[in-house]
Amino acid sequence: MTFLKPLLPILGWAPAYSRTDAQSDLVAAVIVTIMLVPQSLAYAMLAGLPPQVGLYASILPLIAYTVFGTSRALAVGPVAVVSLMTAAAAGQVAAPASAEYLTAAITLAFLSGLVLVAMSVLRLGFLANFLSHPVISGFITASGILIAASQLKHLLGIRAEGDTLPQLVTGLVERIGGFNPYTLVIGVAATAFLFWTRKNLKPLLIARGLRPRLADLIAKAGPVAAILVSILAVVGFGLAEKGVKIVGDIPAGLPPFAMPSFDLGLWQQLLLPAVLISLVGFVESVSVAQTLAAKRRQRIVPNQELTALGASNIASALSGGYPVTGGFARSVVNFDAGAETPLAGAFTAVGILAATVFLTPLFRFLPQAVLAATIIVAVLSLVDIAAIRRTWAYSKADFAAMAVTILTVLLVGVEAGITAGVLLSLVLFLWRTSRPHMAIVGLVPGTEHFRNVERHQVLTDPSILTIRVDESLYFANARALEDAIYDRIADQPALKHVVLMCPAVNLIDASALESLEAIAHRLDSAGVGFHLSEVKGPVMDALKRSDFMQHFKGRIFLSQFEAFTTLGGLAR
Amino acid sequence: MTFLKPLLPILGWAPAYSRTDAQSDLVAAVIVTIMLVPQSLAYAMLAGLPPQVGLYASILPLIAYTVFGTSRALAVGPVAVVSLMTAAAAGQVAAPASAEYLTAAITLAFLSGLVLVAMSVLRLGFLANFLSHPVISGFITASGILIAASQLKHLLGIRAEGDTLPQLVTGLVERIGGFNPYTLVIGVAATAFLFWTRKNLKPLLIARGLRPRLADLIAKAGPVAAILVSILAVVGFGLAEKGVKIVGDIPAGLPPFAMPSFDLGLWQQLLLPAVLISLVGFVESVSVAQTLAAKRRQRIVPNQELTALGASNIASALSGGYPVTGGFARSVVNFDAGAETPLAGAFTAVGILAATVFLTPLFRFLPQAVLAATIIVAVLSLVDIAAIRRTWAYSKADFAAMAVTILTVLLVGVEAGITAGVLLSLVLFLWRTSRPHMAIVGLVPGTEHFRNVERHQVLTDPSILTIRVDESLYFANARALEDAIYDRIADQPALKHVVLMCPAVNLIDASALESLEAIAHRLDSAGVGFHLSEVKGPVMDALKRSDFMQHFKGRIFLSQFEAFTTLGGLAR
């Protein structure tokens, strides 16, 4: 059994499961269920799928995560950004609301599950590191804006299609005259109410004397209240006959057993979206899980999280759901409500299963405008303008990657946006490393330290030129190093020694090695000695494996101070 | 006029042109012409083009380079690797020997010229740096093998087609029974003779008392002798009637005025090959030019070389030629023969023009097998097995990039090979920087220096943990840093301070900044101080632009020694 423990974390915590744990987990499950039912319906609508698909995606995936997951508080299921990405991917291969569209969504979940499991087996979780913070942050902000814009039509009760922000805006402007006044009232009222409960209800309840935790939970139940009131209004005033679009019939019952398509052509079309959904989902999920684990000094195992998310997505696909991941809002609620173990997730699954079997008739008269309002309120909290400002202030390169991500998501689409952001951040990194910072350094008086002559008051010797190169030396910057050294020795007649100070050189690749040989050769024929200092251990090991040391006539000094004194610096 | 000088280097040297220069240049031109005529015919055959196209590509491009080039010895024209790349690209869009094939080759030269000029204007020459030495070296070695294999059919006098090494070998094996004995004798004899002149003739002549330079030139004229003798043999013994394939009629006269195709569909298909040809040609040409310039303490201007090569290719296209670049062998000959200015190239152009007008009837009876022999002997010198061994010994990552380049060129094709090599070397670089080397360091007794505790005898203090990270901190390794620090502080109860020593950190991007904040926060809540030391100037400037410093409770020390003493290291 022991060898199974890393693969099945449930074996680690289940044997010690106590009655207290069960009580905590049950309370948390009830609260999360209440929150998750409307969210599941809403995100299915956002993904362009029938409402029950959102419920299906919130049952088996939770069970799978309970078995395989290492976070004690993460709640998996449909989330806004992944729903948007699902809509974009499925929309490219099938018409909305068609059977093929649903098959595409199911297949996407299946493929995404395979990708995640493969990443786990092949230990490719590090790939997620290539989604930089600014790119992820920009992607989520832009997705939030795009999602909110896509829901406005439901608030107005008009039809307007579009995948990009300009299309959405144009569609809204063209059709706004046909708005339905009842829908608009319901939609605006629901949005305002939800914003209010989110921002103001909790402080108000606390001021009235409620305990903070209870006040928080009541405030979190805002969407449920909005749903119940709006259903009553639709039924009471016969609003459905007055043009207010409602959710309509939802088939009650257990999730069906579903099969993804095994059409290789479809797989080919969906593979890139599946990879992007997997990476985005993994990054979002792991960062939520890590934040929550840190609060209780627990640890999560990122590689096992890949397995768990993969299993969740395969479970989703096989039960008629669509791609899922660990959601921020629901996980925080789960954590705050006191979930102690992943079993809270399994209890939640039972709750949603019960809702799917018994409560679906209730949602028949739920106005789509209210679902749209819950989506808008949820996603606008994803929009992080402060992060854009912070990034701009800190680094123009990071800002560029973020801005390109945001603009491409809004103007072209989610997949293009994240791809452009990742590629641009890699290109900018390579570009920066290909133009390394180099400094002429001198001795800080009274110490053994050497610093940039342009930034510090330091001592130099006209017969010794010390250049510190602040980058690993590799093919992209090898020639820049040659040029820089040749330029700087050009007009120094008294020069006898050039020292390349290498504390920041973590790697010298074969191309850079040839450049060093060329430099040594050129300086030698000009009668100037060429030396290295502060070469790191691993770099030195590599140099010793080459024949560089056999030709090299200079010396390699352990410290720059040693180099400077040995070469007679300031001897006069 | 002055502002034109950088653009037209000819304005720099032409006014000072002397009679002595003219004599030297003329001698060099005669020698290079003798070498270039057979080479031009041979490389045109390699590119799958009519023989005269090779001559055309050796006339106007030389004039263009004379006007725009900054190297005094570079000789441009058809070269082996670019001819192979041309054959691969043109073969993808047209049938060999068709009019469309010739148009594709001309268009490729034109596009390649545009790409080079655009790179010059946009200062994109640095892109060539992304072709690492191992990738270029592997590419040239594999191309040499592929070219030699593709010429064996001419030595045997059989038909056998193929673009990859397995195809070529299979083709040869299948058809070898149909070999032509006369062709085989000529081919093998020519190959053996050429290898002999290349390796043994010069020492022999010197031993007989010739001056080394004259001996060298006579040895270089080997191909001309082989051509003359073989033509005489074909004519004398009527070998053409016995199945020995000959070059056949070559239209005599001036190069025609030609126009590239302006079919956008064709441009789209040829753009990637044109970019690759430009990059490979530029890298080869600049490295030859720099090597020769360094010998006479002259300088070349890489960006102007882009313009000059671009102009040469456009000139080639407009005069019915195909892509050209600066060739290694001919430039060395030009240099050794005493060329003083680029005018030697213009004189060579006149020589080849004369050959094109007057000598082409002579080449009618030249056996293709002799051209194949000159190609084989020339390209086998490109195969550099020692470089493969050296790279393997020095760096497995560089070797991997080289091996993938070689195998992909041989098994898939030249374009795929160079693309795979470049991408793999970038991925390997990113992979390495995403897993930074980190070391726990301690004080070297009696100094102010800190070194890896695993490599040196150093002093440490149980209350202070100093981690030196040997890489810039950016999105790809930010999480690795967090994990490493959390791992290393886990079981150190006496720990009071963690110092991150940053002499090798040349950049902290926004993602890494968030990781640093997370680390500071986590250590703070565990009651451990978090400090930085030896932060570089540019990195410090960036940190000051963020709000990191406002939250940061630790200290930033100029030197690690200061950090260690201030924090009470070894105080007891």
Side-chain angles (χ1 to χ4, degrees):
Chain A
M1 286 288 277
T2 322
F3 72 96
L4 277 177
K5 269 196 185 174
L7 198 63
L8 296 172
I10 192 172
L11 300 177
W13 54 264
Y17 198 71
S18 70
R19 181 181 290 262
T20 340
D21 287 337
Q23 280 169 350
S24 305
D25 286 347
L26 268 173
V27 171
V30 169
I31 293 164
V32 175
T33 303
I34 292 173
M35 175 189 180
L36 222 51
V37 169
Q39 259 197 18
S40 301
L41 300 174
Y43 290 147
M45 182 172 89
L46 170 57
L49 294 163
Q52 69 273 16
V53 175
L55 294 170
Y56 299 160
S58 307
I59 301 171
L60 269 199
L62 283 165
I63 307 277
Y65 188 84
T66 301
V67 176
F68 293 103
T70 61
S71 163
R72 304 214 157 187
L74 195 74
V76 300
V79 305
V81 172
V82 168
S83 298
L84 177 68
M85 294 177 84
T86 301
Q92 271 162 26
V93 299
S98 65
E100 290 76 27
Y101 189 95
L102 178 58
T103 305
I106 290 172
T107 308
L108 206 54
F110 188 72
L111 275 180
S112 180
L114 292 186
V115 168
L116 286 160
V117 171
M119 281 172 65
S120 172
V121 172
L122 302 172
R123 309 264 149 181
L124 293 178
F126 75 93
L127 285 178
N129 295 339
F130 287 95
L131 295 175
S132 72
H133 284 243
V135 168
I136 281 285
S137 163
F139 179 72
I140 289 178
T141 289
S143 298
I145 295 171
L146 206 56
I147 292 169
S150 75
Q151 299 305 308
L152 287 177
K153 64 180 179 199
H154 294 300
L155 292 197
L156 292 160
I158 59 178
R159 288 173 159 278
E161 300 304 327
D163 298 321
T164 67
L165 194 61
Q167 286 171 5
L168 288 167
V169 170
T170 315
L172 288 173
V173 169
E174 277 172 2
R175 312 258 186 145
I176 198 162
F179 78 98
N180 179 290
Y182 303 99
T183 307
L184 185 61
V185 167
I186 293 175
V188 170
T191 309
F193 173 73
L194 290 173
F195 267 119
W196 179 76
T197 54
R198 199 179 185 91
K199 279 201 87 168
N200 304 333
L201 185 57
K202 185 176 156 192
L204 191 76
L205 291 173
I206 294 174
R208 293 274 168 104
L210 262 74
R211 276 180 301 133
R213 206 173 133 203
L214 186 62
D216 190 45
L217 291 178
I218 293 180
K220 289 261 159 56
V224 176
I227 282 173
L228 293 178
V229 170
S230 67
I231 290 174
L232 290 178
V234 168
V235 175
F237 300 113
L239 294 180
E241 290 77 49
K242 290 176 176 147
V244 172
K245 287 218 197 72
I246 54 174
V247 167
D249 278 333
I250 305 177
L254 299 175
F257 176 71
M259 282 294 276
S261 162
F262 287 96
D263 171 4
L264 277 188
L266 185 66
W267 278 38
Q268 222 169 3
Q269 288 176 293
L270 294 179
L271 186 61
L272 178 66
V275 168
L276 293 177
I277 287 175
S278 302
L279 282 177
V280 169
F282 176 59
V283 169
E284 185 173 351
S285 186
V286 160
S287 68
V288 175
Q290 259 167 346
T291 307
L292 297 180
K295 288 194 185 183
R296 288 200 192 139
R297 305 194 166 260
Q298 296 163 345
R299 273 188 82 92
I300 63 152
V301 184
N303 202 64
Q304 178 61 23
E305 286 298 293
L306 284 169
T307 308
L309 286 180
S312 301
N313 273 292
I314 292 171
S316 186
L318 296 180
S319 58
Y322 73 107
V324 295
T325 192
F328 179 71
R330 76 190 56 173
S331 300
V332 172
V333 170
N334 195 31
F335 181 87
D336 287 346
E340 287 290 341
T341 76
L343 209 59
F347 293 156
T348 305
V350 173
I352 300 197
L353 182 65
T356 308
V357 174
F358 302 112
L359 295 187
T360 44
L362 185 69
F363 297 121
R364 199 186 151 181
F365 292 102
L366 175 60
Q368 291 184 351
V370 173
L371 288 182
T374 66
I375 294 176
I376 289 173
V377 174
V379 297
L380 283 185
S381 72
L382 300 177
V383 176
D384 189 352
I385 303 295
I388 302 178
R389 214 179 312 115
R390 260 201 324 274
T391 308
W392 165 260
Y394 182 63
S395 155
K396 300 299 172 279
D398 279 315
F399 174 79
M402 188 183 224
V404 163
T405 308
I406 292 175
L407 291 177
T408 313
V409 167
L410 294 180
L411 303 179
V412 185
V414 280
E415 288 163 19
I418 196 132
T419 310
V422 170
L423 289 181
L424 183 64
S425 43
L426 291 177
V427 167
L428 286 173
F429 174 71
L430 291 171
W431 162 255
R432 282 198 277 195
T433 61
S434 78
R435 301 156 58 95
H437 179 254
M438 292 185 218
I440 308 280
V441 297
L443 181 65
V444 181
T447 74
E448 299 185 0
H449 298 292
F450 286 74
R451 290 289 180 276
N452 192 342
V453 295
E454 290 171 14
R455 289 174 174 266
H456 300 267
Q457 283 288 347
V458 292
L459 305 171
T460 55
D461 186 305
S463 73
I464 304 174
L465 179 75
T466 304
I467 300 178
R468 192 190 70 210
V469 54
D470 290 354
E471 196 67 66
S472 287
L473 299 176
Y474 78 113
F475 54 93
N477 61 26
R479 199 173 287 282
L481 175 73
E482 283 190 61
D483 289 345
I485 291 187
Y486 299 156
D487 281 355
R488 282 169 209 197
I489 63 168
D491 34 57
Q492 301 224 16
L495 195 65
K496 290 209 189 97
H497 298 283
V498 170
V499 183
L500 190 66
M501 186 179 166
C502 306
V505 175
N506 310 309
L507 168 78
I508 296 180
D509 80 351
S511 307
L513 191 69
E514 289 195 37
S515 286
L516 286 185
E517 282 170 350
I519 293 166
H521 188 73
R522 170 101 65 121
L523 290 183
D524 187 48
S525 64
V528 175
F530 181 51
H531 314 275
L532 305 178
S533 75
E534 310 205 359
V535 178
K536 295 224 176 87
V539 176
M540 202 62 226
D541 292 347
L543 288 182
K544 282 179 186 153
R545 282 199 305 273
S546 75
D547 54 2
F548 177 78
M549 307 296 280
Q550 290 152 36
H551 311 311
F552 190 60
K553 296 178 182 167
R555 295 186 52 181
I556 298 182
F557 298 100
L558 189 63
S559 78
Q560 174 55 30
F561 186 70
E562 187 194 337
F564 195 66
T565 47
T566 309
L567 297 173
L570 302 177
R572 276 137 300 166
Chain B
M1 284 289 275
T2 322
F3 72 95
L4 276 176
K5 269 194 185 174
L7 198 63
L8 296 172
I10 191 172
L11 299 178
W13 53 265
Y17 198 71
S18 70
R19 182 181 289 263
T20 339
D21 287 337
Q23 281 170 350
S24 306
D25 286 347
L26 267 172
V27 171
V30 169
I31 293 163
V32 175
T33 302
I34 291 173
M35 174 190 182
L36 223 53
V37 169
Q39 258 197 17
S40 302
L41 299 174
Y43 289 148
M45 182 172 90
L46 170 58
L49 293 164
Q52 69 273 16
V53 175
L55 295 170
Y56 299 160
S58 307
I59 302 173
L60 269 198
L62 284 164
I63 307 278
Y65 189 83
T66 301
V67 175
F68 293 104
T70 61
S71 162
R72 305 214 157 187
L74 195 74
V76 299
V79 305
V81 172
V82 167
S83 297
L84 178 68
M85 294 176 85
T86 301
Q92 270 163 27
V93 298
S98 65
E100 290 75 28
Y101 189 94
L102 177 58
T103 304
I106 290 173
T107 308
L108 206 53
F110 189 72
L111 275 180
S112 179
L114 291 186
V115 167
L116 287 160
V117 170
M119 281 172 66
S120 171
V121 171
L122 301 173
R123 308 263 148 181
L124 293 178
F126 76 92
L127 286 178
N129 296 339
F130 287 95
L131 295 175
S132 71
H133 284 244
V135 168
I136 281 283
S137 164
F139 179 72
I140 289 178
T141 288
S143 298
I145 294 170
L146 205 57
I147 291 170
S150 76
Q151 298 306 306
L152 287 178
K153 63 180 178 198
H154 293 299
L155 291 196
L156 292 161
I158 59 178
R159 287 171 161 279
E161 300 304 325
D163 297 322
T164 67
L165 194 62
Q167 287 170 4
L168 287 167
V169 170
T170 317
L172 287 174
V173 169
E174 278 173 3
R175 312 262 185 141
I176 199 161
F179 78 98
N180 179 291
Y182 303 99
T183 305
L184 185 62
V185 168
I186 293 175
V188 170
T191 309
F193 173 73
L194 290 173
F195 267 118
W196 179 77
T197 55
R198 201 181 183 90
K199 279 201 86 166
N200 305 333
L201 184 57
K202 186 176 153 190
L204 192 75
L205 292 173
I206 293 174
R208 293 276 168 103
L210 261 73
R211 276 179 301 133
R213 208 175 130 201
L214 186 62
D216 190 44
L217 291 178
I218 292 180
K220 289 259 157 58
V224 176
I227 282 174
L228 291 178
V229 170
S230 67
I231 289 175
L232 289 177
V234 169
V235 175
F237 300 110
L239 294 180
E241 289 76 52
K242 291 175 178 148
V244 172
K245 287 219 198 71
I246 54 173
V247 168
D249 278 331
I250 305 176
L254 299 175
F257 176 71
M259 282 294 277
S261 162
F262 287 95
D263 171 4
L264 277 188
L266 185 65
W267 279 38
Q268 221 169 3
Q269 289 175 291
L270 294 179
L271 187 63
L272 178 66
V275 169
L276 294 176
I277 287 175
S278 302
L279 282 177
V280 169
F282 177 59
V283 169
E284 184 173 353
S285 187
V286 160
S287 68
V288 175
Q290 259 167 346
T291 308
L292 297 180
K295 289 195 184 181
R296 287 199 192 141
R297 305 192 166 260
Q298 295 163 347
R299 271 187 84 90
I300 63 151
V301 184
N303 202 63
Q304 178 62 22
E305 285 298 293
L306 284 168
T307 307
L309 286 179
S312 301
N313 274 292
I314 292 173
S316 186
L318 297 180
S319 58
Y322 73 105
V324 296
T325 192
F328 180 71
R330 74 189 57 174
S331 301
V332 172
V333 171
N334 195 30
F335 181 88
D336 287 347
E340 288 291 341
T341 76
L343 209 60
F347 293 155
T348 305
V350 173
I352 300 196
L353 183 65
T356 309
V357 174
F358 301 114
L359 296 187
T360 43
L362 185 70
F363 297 120
R364 204 192 143 172
F365 291 102
L366 175 60
Q368 291 184 351
V370 173
L371 288 183
T374 66
I375 294 175
I376 289 173
V377 174
V379 298
L380 284 185
S381 71
L382 299 178
V383 176
D384 189 352
I385 303 295
I388 303 178
R389 213 178 314 114
R390 258 199 327 271
T391 307
W392 165 260
Y394 182 62
S395 155
K396 299 299 172 277
D398 279 315
F399 174 78
M402 188 182 223
V404 163
T405 306
I406 292 176
L407 291 177
T408 313
V409 166
L410 293 180
L411 302 179
V412 184
V414 279
E415 287 163 21
I418 195 132
T419 310
V422 169
L423 289 181
L424 183 63
S425 42
L426 290 178
V427 167
L428 286 173
F429 174 71
L430 291 172
W431 161 255
R432 281 199 277 193
T433 61
S434 78
R435 302 158 57 95
H437 178 254
M438 292 184 221
I440 308 278
V441 297
L443 180 65
V444 180
T447 73
E448 300 185 358
H449 297 292
F450 286 75
R451 290 288 181 276
N452 192 342
V453 296
E454 291 171 12
R455 288 174 175 266
H456 300 266
Q457 282 287 346
V458 292
L459 306 172
T460 55
D461 186 303
S463 73
I464 304 174
L465 179 75
T466 303
I467 300 178
R468 191 190 70 209
V469 54
D470 290 353
E471 196 67 65
S472 287
L473 299 176
Y474 78 113
F475 54 91
N477 61 27
R479 198 173 289 282
L481 175 74
E482 284 190 60
D483 290 346
I485 291 186
Y486 299 155
D487 281 354
R488 282 169 209 198
I489 62 170
D491 35 56
Q492 301 224 16
L495 195 64
K496 290 209 190 98
H497 298 282
V498 170
V499 183
L500 191 67
M501 186 181 167
C502 305
V505 175
N506 309 308
L507 169 78
I508 296 178
D509 80 351
S511 306
L513 190 68
E514 288 195 38
S515 287
L516 286 185
E517 281 170 351
I519 293 165
H521 187 73
R522 169 101 66 120
L523 290 184
D524 187 49
S525 64
V528 175
F530 181 53
H531 314 275
L532 305 178
S533 75
E534 310 204 0
V535 177
K536 295 226 177 85
V539 175
M540 203 61 225
D541 292 347
L543 288 182
K544 283 179 186 154
R545 281 199 306 274
S546 75
D547 54 1
F548 177 77
M549 307 296 281
Q550 290 152 37
H551 312 310
F552 190 60
K553 296 179 182 166
R555 294 186 52 180
I556 298 182
F557 298 100
L558 188 63
S559 79
Q560 174 57 28
F561 187 68
E562 188 195 335
F564 196 66
T565 48
T566 309
L567 298 173
L570 301 178
R572 277 137 297 168

